[in-house]
Amino acid sequence: DTGVSQNPRHKITKRGQNVTFRCDPISEHNRLYWYRQTLGQGPEFLTYFQNEAQLEKSRLLSDRFSAERPKGSFSTLEIQRTEQGDSAMYLCASSLELAWGPEQYFGPGTRLTVT
Amino acid sequence: AQTVTQSQPEMSVQEAETVTLSCTYDTSESDYYLFWYKQPPSRQMILVIRQEAYKQQNATENRFSVNFQKAAKSFSLKISDSQLGDAAMYFCAPNFGNEKLTFGTGTRLTIIP
């Protein structure tokens, strides 16, 4: 069990540029979640997938954000035309769907800085 | 709206002592799950303990235990025999049955040697 991995770990970009992050979940986990965490706050839910289907998106996920999970394995989160307000830690988590309520396991996050 | 409140932004405890972190929440759901996560400085979020709302018995994991009071919508975390490695941000994070975690603002725990 290698855990949830995220790449890159850090990304610095200029305002207006596009960025893409990748998340590799724990191999047998069929659910994958994206959260955003700003300094001094708890993570906020962005979106989640069950297998390849994106089942829920937060209103925080503006039109500039898009997430995909082709083939139900890894996921990518793309932010187009980045703004300074997008600077945050982007966390990915995965879980295995079970009847008793799944625990989510988190990756190390990708810290985005928009200059 | 489902909300989570952690009223203690910072706490400190002497090494080997016991500390309790508080969490209250608001939901109209009757069946849900509650979690405490730990986030050490510059490290990833780690699950500490979980509690099913339908269970009356409080969960325990080694030095970590919870005091779950469903009627009061309270879910506190007790850390016994505090160790230096317990220093971290602690987040209360219920899953109110809609698959996502709702996080509180966190409590920063400092361990005093």
Side-chain angles (χ1 to χ4, degrees), chain A residues 4 9 31 33 35 37 40-45 48 56 91 99-108, chain B residues 33 35 37 39 42-47 50 52 54 89 91 95 98-106:
Chain A
V4 179
R9 295 290 306 276
R31 286 184 174 168
Y33 309 80
Y35 293 84
Q37 185 179 22
Q41 300 296 316
E44 295 175 293
F45 170 80
Y48 95 95
E56 186 175 349
L91 298 172
W100 42 262
E103 302 161 353
Q104 296 182 22
Y105 295 86
F106 283 81
Chain B
Y33 306 89
F35 302 92
Y37 280 87
Q39 189 175 39
S42 301
R43 295 182 60 189
Q44 66 196 75
M45 198 84 70
I46 302 166
L47 178 65
R50 59 172 284 154
E52 290 86 351
Y54 64 86
M89 282 290 287
F91 292 99
N95 178 333
N98 51 10
E99 309 311 333
K100 61 192 176 190
L101 297 174
T102 302
F103 284 83
T105 51

Side-chain angles (χ1 to χ4, degrees), chain A residues 76-94:
Chain A
T76 58
L77 177 67
E78 180 183 17
I79 309 175
Q80 296 182 328
R81 304 181 303 281
T82 51
E83 303 173 354
Q84 287 189 322
D86 297 332
S87 296
M89 177 76 85
Y90 290 83
L91 298 172
C92 176
S94 70

Side-chain angles (χ1 to χ4, degrees), chain B residues 66-86:
Chain B
V66 300
N67 182 4
F68 173 51
Q69 299 182 16
K70 190 172 184 179
K73 296 180 182 176
S74 171
F75 181 57
S76 61
L77 174 70
K78 186 171 82 171
I79 306 174
S80 303
D81 185 26
S82 298
Q83 300 176 0
L84 294 177
D86 295 333

